[in-house]
């Protein structure tokens, strides 16, 4: 309180002093003493209502004194001790709070300021303040040297008169634009805006990157508080990188390194269909571009729960805070009633690449009742909303979407990446549609076609089940003959789209029981359809069941006992290639991949079967067709004996999903129950099914590569597990010396950029 009186005496501004004091109690109480911000907001709102004002800037000194007293009582009640008035005590507690936020034990934070350990670096920066809340000739704001949402090269920011920096970013008040508006800083304080604009150019030229700067105006004097590289949306990152190369600020290599490959994935998903009908019920600020469709929820916990149950959600909040991060992460999009383009919701959403509409002032959110109103429209929990983060439109119901296309700046970045990278990038695709999507995104072939996915269609599953339930080889071949033209048609469709690019086709992998029904009702239906007694059918299903099917009768083991399955698939592959070569002169070289090999003799047996079948078809068709036979390395024994297996394989494809399972002894289907705890407790740095475990699984890949190439220097090596789209795993594959990675269609651009960055990081 003595400090407040001193501030009044120095500034001759009693209102500013009490306004600053209440802000200190609020922020210090929240960040340092653990009193939730919302409690302070309730007190402030109560006093404003009592005084008949809408904004805190309209409170007079008497009102602010009431707020201060309310804040002090709140801290005493919630924190169990009074708000500290001694400045050094405040400073000590603030330093402790900083260290605690970094998980540094309290015991080493030291009580005396001059004894902070040097190895902790500059832990706390203490400096004098300037005040933007001293009157109408004061202001505070946040600005970006370029538009952080679109990347457009124009000065962009927001400000508030008679306010402090927290007011702009906290979403409590909706700020005004710094330029291009009647109430902008450019119009109302033109001289100071010119100074700010000139500083914008100096900062960007110096740092050669978009800058996020904070400023305060005190008594008509401009102060720059800080600058840092600005967060930006993925679309903005691409545009800024290309533009800065053209402007001569950076070179192509720097541009490639400026973009986070993982974020590219967010640019490749659908946007709203411009032709679709839209019931627009409101509009906010277009805080983060893109489109989002989902069911409304009103808090982060609901968002997580609903998403866990398989729902897609829109998180609707009055304003967001750091406590909402997990909910924002799982939500399709975020909608807030308060806040501007630099509010918490906007900045975090842009960093995540999430669609966000912020500052919809007409939106009233009642979390307790699970509803929100926009004008005369009420939206309840579970109702569908669609957000357009590019226009700020809020749309009732679900709106259709359209697929994105690579062009313009994105295409330029991809071209630059292709000029640098050494790894080829293929895709995992099982249908002509997926193949076309991948080709449009720059895929250079298919690294994995899962043939079992073709068996589950309604018009095929009956023939598959007939094959499984056959009592002898003749019956089984008869059923497989029904599948042959279907499989051939599938392969022709894929080969046509890929136009001679390499296509790796994995022969049937999963255990046969996966194709049979499990529910009693479904078993009865199958019994009637196939004229097989239900009891006999149940006995067959029971005979096929295994205690651990992923390590059971599947993959190459299935073909060794039932070779006619692979004979049919190879025949379909080769017939499709031969016919297309005749009909359309496509030069196709099928890559036939045999899964789950653990011993060279398995591959030797099945390669012989494959070649006999393929050569017979080629001779019968009278076509000169080349093909190759290889295997998946997905068992530790295969990796450790790769020199033996390489004598029978023309290529290896590392199936890193199964290789991770069998190396760790983890089930992908069950590990989700405990792996999060491993990550949270630091036992594992990351989920090994997301990013390759380089010390364990990676060592097996390295061993297999060295042994395989020692025997067969020309052997082609790649990976086709989900890790093929993970940037860290791609860098590992580059460093190991693989030929290609294969990933899902939408991650192809991610892989192209990550492969280029791997070269630049290691050059």
């Amino acid at each position: 309180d003595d400090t407040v009186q001193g501030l009044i005496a120095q500034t001759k501004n009693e209102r500013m002093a009490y306004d600053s004091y209440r802000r200190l109690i609020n922020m210090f109480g929240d960040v340092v003493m653990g009193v939730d911000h919302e409690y302070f907001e309730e007190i402030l709102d109560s006093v404003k209502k009592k005084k008949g004002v809408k904004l805190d800037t309209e409170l007079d000194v008497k009102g602010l004194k009431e707020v201060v007293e309310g804040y002090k009582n709140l801290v005493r009640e919630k924190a169990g001790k009074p708000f500290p008035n001694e400045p050094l005590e405040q400073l000590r507690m603030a330093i402790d709070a900083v260290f605690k936020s970094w998980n540094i034990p309290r015991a080493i934070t030291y009580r005396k300021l001059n004894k902070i350990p040097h190895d902790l670096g500059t832990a706390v920066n203490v400096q004098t303040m300037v005040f933007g809340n001293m009157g109408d000739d004061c202001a505070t704001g946040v600005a970006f040297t370029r538009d952080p949402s679109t990347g457009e090269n124009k000065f962009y920011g927001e400000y508030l008169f008679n306010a402090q920096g927290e007011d702009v970013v906290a979403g409590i008040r909706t700020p005004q634009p710094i330029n291009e508006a009647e109430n902008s800083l450019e119009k109302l304080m033109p001289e100071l805006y010119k100074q700010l604009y000139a500083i914008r150019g100096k900062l960007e030229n110096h740092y050669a990157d978009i800058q996020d700067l904070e400023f305060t105006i005190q008594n008509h004097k401009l102060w720059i508080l800080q600058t840092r590289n600005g967060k930006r949306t993925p679309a903005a990152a691409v545009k800024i990188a290309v533009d800065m190369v053209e402007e001569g600020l950076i070179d192509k290599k720097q541009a490639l390194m400026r973009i986070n490959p993982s974020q590219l994935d967010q640019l490749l998903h659908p946007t709203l269909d411009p032709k679709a009908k839209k019931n627009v019920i409101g509009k906010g600020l277009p805080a983060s571009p893109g489109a989002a469709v989902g069911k409304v929820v009103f808090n982060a916990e609901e968002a997580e729960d609903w998403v866990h149950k398989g729902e897609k959600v829109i998180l609707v909040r009055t304003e967001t805070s750091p406590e909402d991060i997990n909910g924002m992460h799982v939500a399709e999009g975020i909608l807030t009633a308060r806040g501007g383009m630099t509010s918490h919701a906007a900045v975090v959403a842009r960093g995540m690449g999430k669609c966000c509409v912020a500052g919809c002032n007409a939106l009233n959110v009642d979390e307790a009742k699970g509803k929100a109103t926009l004008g005369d429209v009420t939206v309840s929990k579970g109702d569908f909303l669609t957000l357009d983060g590019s226009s700020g439109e809020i749309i009732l119901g679900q709106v259709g979407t359209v697929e994105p296309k690579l062009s313009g700046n994105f295409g330029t970045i991809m071209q630059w990446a292709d000029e640098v990278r050494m790894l080829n990038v293929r895709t995992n695709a099982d249908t002509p549609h997926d193949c076309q999507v991948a080709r449009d995104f720059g895929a250079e072939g298919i690294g994995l076609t899962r043939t079992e996915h073709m068996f589950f269609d309604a018009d095929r599953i009956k023939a598959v089940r007939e094959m499984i339930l056959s009592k002898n080889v003749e019956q089984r071949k008869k059923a497989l003959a029904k599948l042959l033209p279907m499989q051939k048609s599938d392969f022709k469709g894929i080969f046509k789209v890929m136009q001679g690019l390499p296509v790796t086709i994995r022969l049937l992998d999963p255990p046969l029981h996966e194709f049979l029904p499990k529910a009693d009702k479904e078993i009865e239906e199958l019994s009637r359809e196939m004229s097989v007694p239900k009891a006999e059918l149940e006995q067959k299903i029971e005979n096929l069941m295994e205690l651990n099917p992923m390590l059971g009768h599947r993959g190459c083991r299935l073909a060794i006992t039932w070779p006619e399955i692979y004979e049919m698939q190879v025949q379909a592959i080769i017939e499709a290639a031969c016919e297309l070569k005749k009909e359309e002169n496509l030069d196709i070289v099928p890559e036939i991949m045999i899964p789950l090999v653990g011993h060279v003799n398995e591959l030797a047996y099945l390669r012989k079967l494959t070649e006999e079948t393929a050569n017979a078809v080629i001779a019968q068709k009278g076509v000169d067709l080349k093909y190759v036979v290889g295997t998946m390395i997905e068992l530790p024994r295969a990796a450790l004996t790769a020199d033996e297996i390489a004598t029978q394989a023309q290529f290896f494809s590392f199936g890193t999903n199964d290789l991770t399972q069998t190396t760790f002894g983890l089930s992908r289907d069950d590990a989700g129950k405990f792996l999060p705890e491993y990550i949270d407790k630091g036992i594992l740095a990351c989920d090994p099914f997301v990013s390759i475990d380089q010390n364990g699984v990676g060592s097996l890949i390295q061993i297999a590569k060295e042994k395989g190439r020692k025997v067969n220097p020309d052997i082609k090596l790649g990976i086709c597990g989900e890790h093929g789209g993970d940037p860290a795993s791609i860098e590992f594959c580059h460093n190991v010396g693989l030929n290609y990675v294969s990933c899902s269609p939408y991650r192809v651009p991610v892989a192209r950029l990550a492969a280029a960055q791997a070269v630049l990081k290691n050059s």
Side-chain angles (χ1 to χ4, degrees):
D1 292 339
D2 290 341
T3 305
V4 174
Q5 296 306 316
L7 188 58
I8 294 171
Q10 181 182 355
T11 63
K12 311 299 184 188
N13 191 327
E14 186 177 15
R15 189 194 179 285
M16 182 277 293
Y18 276 100
D19 188 41
S20 299
Y21 192 23
R22 65 99 179 172
R23 293 170 187 276
L24 172 65
I25 299 171
N26 183 343
M27 287 187 282
F28 192 95
D30 180 10
V31 176
V32 177
M33 303 183 74
V35 181
D36 287 345
H37 170 70
E38 62 186 58
Y39 294 121
F40 293 101
E41 280 295 296
E42 289 173 2
I43 292 172
L44 180 61
D45 288 343
S46 175
V47 174
K48 286 192 295 185
K49 185 176 181 180
K50 178 181 175 183
K51 299 294 183 180
V53 300
K54 292 184 177 181
L55 301 175
D56 52 355
T57 52
E58 297 174 320
L59 286 172
D60 58 14
V61 173
K62 188 176 179 181
L64 288 170
K65 285 182 176 180
E66 283 190 40
V67 174
V68 166
E69 288 306 309
Y71 281 7
K72 284 183 175 181
N73 292 335
L74 172 67
V75 169
R76 187 180 294 107
E77 175 191 346
K78 297 293 183 181
K81 55 184 176 182
F83 181 81
N85 276 324
E86 179 61 39
L88 285 178
E89 176 66 8
Q90 293 174 0
L91 189 58
R92 182 194 63 76
M93 291 175 68
I95 292 171
D96 276 354
V98 171
F99 288 144
K100 285 176 185 175
S101 73
W102 297 343
N103 293 320
I104 297 175
R106 186 184 184 92
I108 67 167
T109 61
Y110 291 79
R111 292 299 179 198
K112 294 184 179 178
L113 298 181
N114 62 353
K115 296 230 177 149
I116 294 175
H118 293 297
D119 61 351
L120 292 180
T122 305
V124 180
N125 182 29
V126 181
Q127 65 184 57
T128 56
M129 285 184 64
V130 286
F131 295 89
N133 62 328
M134 294 181 69
D136 291 338
D137 62 349
C138 302
T140 187
V142 175
F144 291 83
T145 55
R146 302 186 187 218
D147 189 321
S149 288
T150 66
E152 186 179 356
N153 188 5
K154 71 174 187 178
F155 200 21
Y156 179 90
E158 297 172 322
Y159 81 106
L160 285 169
F161 277 122
N162 196 18
Q164 288 291 85
E166 181 69 13
D167 296 337
V168 179
V169 299
I172 296 169
R173 290 165 57 187
T174 300
Q176 305 300 326
I178 61 170
N179 52 17
E180 299 182 2
E182 283 302 314
N183 54 355
S184 68
L185 189 68
E186 181 182 21
K187 294 285 186 181
L188 301 179
M189 288 185 169
E191 293 180 9
L192 294 178
Y193 176 79
K194 286 179 182 178
Q195 292 178 29
L196 189 62
Y197 191 88
I199 290 168
R200 168 221 185 193
K202 290 180 181 179
L203 289 174
E204 198 170 82
N205 286 333
H206 178 77
Y207 290 104
D209 200 356
I210 177 178
Q211 293 300 293
D212 171 0
L213 59 102
E214 296 180 18
F215 65 91
T216 289
I217 296 171
Q218 178 178 296
N219 302 135
H220 214 73
K221 183 176 181 180
L222 175 65
W223 300 82
I224 302 299
L225 306 185
Q226 72 168 6
T227 190
R228 56 192 169 194
N229 291 341
K231 291 182 180 178
R232 65 213 78 177
T233 64
V238 170
K239 178 170 174 55
I240 290 168
V242 173
D243 285 353
M244 285 190 168
V245 171
E246 294 175 352
E247 294 162 19
L249 288 174
I250 59 176
D251 60 28
K252 291 180 181 180
K253 292 181 179 179
Q254 289 173 302
L256 289 172
M257 295 303 295
R258 287 273 174 92
I259 301 167
N260 181 346
S262 297
Q263 288 189 321
L264 289 186
D265 191 37
Q266 299 157 7
L267 291 179
L268 308 176
H269 295 285
T271 54
L272 293 186
D273 182 353
K275 298 178 182 178
K277 291 183 178 180
K278 298 184 294 185
N279 180 12
V280 179
I281 59 172
K283 193 169 184 180
L285 300 173
S288 187
V293 183
K295 292 183 177 179
V296 168
V297 295
F298 291 100
N299 60 60
E301 292 75 19
E302 286 178 347
E304 292 185 275
D305 289 344
W306 284 41
V307 170
H308 183 70
K309 295 173 184 175
E311 301 282 4
K312 292 184 176 181
V313 302
I314 301 293
L315 179 62
V316 178
R317 304 284 283 153
T318 300
E319 58 186 299
T320 63
S321 68
E323 287 74 25
D324 293 316
I325 288 292
N326 289 339
M328 296 173 73
H329 181 74
V330 299
E332 299 296 308
I334 300 105
L335 170 63
T336 68
R338 295 200 295 229
M341 297 292 283
T342 51
S343 65
H344 176 269
V347 172
V348 171
R350 284 197 294 267
M352 290 180 173
K354 296 276 183 182
C355 168
C356 178
V357 175
C360 179
N361 295 323
L363 178 68
N364 292 303
V365 178
D366 189 335
E367 180 184 337
K369 293 183 178 179
K371 67 177 185 179
T373 56
L374 253 174
D376 58 357
V377 176
T378 298
V379 180
S380 300
K381 181 167 65 176
D383 290 348
F384 273 104
L385 269 189
T386 298
L387 303 180
D388 187 340
S390 299
S391 68
E393 288 181 334
I394 303 158
I395 303 157
L396 190 62
Q398 303 178 72
V399 176
T401 58
V402 294
E403 298 293 326
K405 294 182 179 179
L406 293 185
S407 60
N409 293 321
F410 202 122
T412 300
I413 285 290
M414 289 294 102
Q415 179 186 336
W416 293 347
D418 293 344
E419 291 170 1
V420 173
R421 66 183 169 89
M422 298 172 66
L423 279 170
N424 287 333
V425 177
R426 299 192 189 184
T427 189
N428 301 337
D430 313 320
T431 66
H433 173 267
D434 288 348
C435 293
Q436 188 61 59
V437 170
R439 283 212 65 184
D440 291 343
F441 286 150
E444 299 165 308
I446 294 179
L448 176 64
T449 290
R450 308 168 183 89
T451 54
E452 61 271 8
H453 287 189
M454 304 168 180
F455 284 8
F456 285 99
D457 288 350
D459 61 338
R460 306 176 185 203
I461 192 68
K462 186 174 180 180
V464 175
R465 288 170 172 172
E466 183 182 330
M467 179 267 293
I468 294 171
L469 297 172
S470 298
K471 296 178 180 178
N472 52 52
V473 174
E474 287 71 26
Q475 287 183 357
R476 200 150 46 240
K477 286 185 175 181
K478 184 178 179 181
L480 287 166
K482 297 178 182 178
L483 289 169
L484 176 63
M486 301 175 187
Q487 286 257 281
K488 182 167 71 172
S489 175
D490 292 329
F491 298 136
K492 288 183 80 169
I494 289 171
F495 289 147
K496 276 185 179 182
V497 172
M498 298 313 292
Q499 290 289 305
L501 291 173
V503 176
T504 301
I505 299 171
R506 183 181 71 188
L507 303 182
L508 191 65
D509 185 33
L512 294 180
H513 78 270
E514 289 193 6
F515 298 98
L516 295 177
K518 298 174 180 62
D520 189 66
K521 183 179 179 181
E522 292 177 335
I523 294 173
E524 286 182 356
E525 289 177 359
L526 182 61
S527 173
R528 287 194 299 271
E529 286 177 6
M530 302 193 66
S531 300
V532 175
K534 183 183 177 186
E536 182 180 330
L537 186 56
E538 288 174 329
Q539 183 62 51
K540 185 71 173 181
I541 293 171
E542 184 179 342
N543 292 342
L544 287 172
M545 294 301 292
E546 298 173 295
L547 293 176
N548 194 340
M550 297 313 292
L551 295 178
H553 192 197
R554 55 167 284 219
C556 67
R557 302 161 190 171
L558 191 63
I560 287 171
T561 54
W562 289 7
E564 51 274 11
I565 296 177
Y566 278 14
E567 287 175 339
M568 179 276 290
Q569 291 193 294
V570 172
Q571 181 179 346
I573 293 168
I574 301 301
E575 283 188 3
C578 287
E579 290 175 13
L580 280 178
K581 190 164 187 180
K582 269 187 174 181
E583 296 164 4
E584 302 188 20
N585 199 31
L586 285 181
D587 190 16
I588 301 164
V589 181
E591 299 179 352
I592 300 171
M593 184 159 68
I594 296 168
L596 211 72
V597 164
H599 195 288
V600 64
N601 290 346
E602 292 172 313
L603 183 57
Y605 175 86
L606 292 173
R607 178 173 178 175
K608 183 173 182 290
L609 178 144
T610 298
E611 290 178 340
E612 288 174 350
T613 304
N615 292 341
V617 172
I618 291 169
Q620 188 255 327
K621 294 286 185 181
V623 174
D624 182 16
L625 181 77
K626 294 180 181 178
Y627 64 91
V628 294
V629 181
T631 187
M632 292 185 82
I633 303 293
E634 48 193 329
L635 297 174
R637 191 183 190 282
L640 294 172
T641 61
D643 50 346
E644 297 176 5
I645 293 175
T647 63
Q648 296 294 322
Q650 293 167 283
F651 67 88
F652 287 166
S653 180
F654 293 96
T656 51
N657 299 341
D658 270 347
L659 188 57
T660 298
Q661 286 196 112
T662 53
T663 300
F664 270 96
L666 287 174
S667 164
R668 272 185 298 161
D669 299 322
D670 301 316
K673 297 175 182 177
F674 56 85
L675 268 184
E677 290 287 325
Y678 275 58
I679 310 303
D680 291 343
K681 294 176 179 176
I683 295 170
L684 292 176
C686 60
D687 186 332
F689 293 110
V690 173
S691 192
I692 286 177
D693 162 48
Q694 297 186 18
N695 290 339
V697 175
S699 294
L700 289 172
I701 293 173
Q702 179 76 32
I703 289 168
K705 182 213 78 167
E706 292 173 356
K707 287 193 167 190
R709 284 202 171 135
K710 186 176 181 180
V711 171
N712 182 356
D714 297 325
I715 194 168
K716 186 160 51 180
L717 306 174
I719 71 166
C720 61
E722 290 302 311
H723 302 91
D726 168 60
S729 302
I730 291 167
E731 183 177 357
F732 169 79
C733 293
H734 167 81
N735 293 337
V736 168
L738 302 190
N739 299 103
Y740 69 87
V741 296
S742 188
C743 57
S744 62
Y746 282 98
R747 301 195 80 186
V748 167
V750 176
R752 291 165 68 188
L753 178 58
Q757 289 186 348
V759 174
L760 297 175
K761 287 178 184 178
N762 295 278
S763 60

